[in-house]
Amino acid sequence: MNRVALKLSSALCSALLCASVASAQIPAYTEAGPIPSALTSAKTFFVSNGGTVSQFFPDTFTGDANRAYSQFYAALKATGKYDLVGDPSQADLVLYLRLVARPCRSISYNCTGVPDPQPVFYLTIYDRKTHYVLWTITQPVDGAILLKNHDHNFDAALAVVVREFERVTGKTPVTP
């Protein structure tokens, strides 16, 4: 074996050994970490409109750029489980909802040959007093061809965000 091959195989063996040692130190995922108590003990909530990518309206979804905020607010209010306030200084938690574009990883192209961005909901939950991020919920919106299907996927993704928010705040029973 020549010197280059010997050095290369030594380096490869060292890398594999280091990788196996490093992976052995990471415990296997067994259970979820704790949900911050501020999420489950909160009584009042302020919903903040974090905005959206304007290119989604009206071409991808019907309505306007405030649709995500308006629907999310209405969904929380309809549950009757949340005391929604109009001023963040009156809230225990601030819910910051955004609809942003994540570049598509598939080979999906629009009419101009540019990859279509994938809409994604981000709900970031802040503790109002400390301004710390307590939790973030992300949910992509599935693509579609027809506008009515885009709207259906928008509604379905936002419903997932609402259900996940209810789960982390302890407002619904956890289903196995």
Side-chain angles (χ1 to χ4, degrees):
M1 197 186 271
N2 66 24
R3 291 182 128 173
V4 173
L6 184 60
K7 286 184 179 183
L8 185 59
S9 56
S10 291
L12 183 60
C13 287
S14 295
L16 289 173
L17 181 61
C18 289
S20 66
V21 169
S23 67
Q25 294 174 352
I26 299 172
Y29 174 80
T30 56
E31 63 182 62
I35 292 175
S37 61
L39 289 173
T40 56
S41 65
K43 304 287 185 228
T44 56
F45 304 84
F46 176 79
V47 180
S48 175
N49 186 355
T52 190
V53 176
S54 61
Q55 74 189 43
F56 291 145
F57 298 94
D59 297 331
T60 307
F61 306 112
T62 57
D64 64 16
N66 295 317
R67 177 179 172 183
Y69 165 77
S70 298
Q71 271 187 244
F72 181 71
Y73 186 91
L76 291 182
K77 191 169 181 99
T79 67
K81 301 172 187 173
Y82 300 98
D83 182 12
L84 303 177
V85 296
D87 186 331
S89 67
Q90 300 170 339
D92 296 323
L93 299 179
V94 174
L95 315 177
Y96 181 70
L97 181 69
R98 299 177 292 145
L99 178 64
V100 300
R102 179 174 65 194
C104 202
R105 295 172 200 244
S106 69
I107 308 175
S108 169
Y109 291 93
N110 63 21
C111 296
T112 61
V114 177
D116 287 331
Q118 181 180 25
V120 180
F121 286 110
Y122 288 90
L123 175 64
T124 306
I125 306 168
Y126 293 90
D127 178 72
R128 194 228 5 118
K129 292 175 188 143
T130 64
H131 303 281
Y132 282 112
V133 173
L134 298 174
W135 207 265
T136 299
I137 298 167
T138 60
Q139 180 62 39
V141 179
D142 291 336
I145 295 173
L146 300 176
L147 182 60
K148 69 178 183 174
N149 293 338
H150 274 285
D151 282 339
H152 170 77
N153 294 347
F154 180 100
D155 295 341
L158 193 56
V160 170
V161 172
V162 171
R163 280 194 309 273
E164 181 64 9
F165 176 70
E166 289 178 321
R167 185 189 70 76
V168 300
T169 58
K171 302 296 185 190
T172 58
V174 177
T175 55

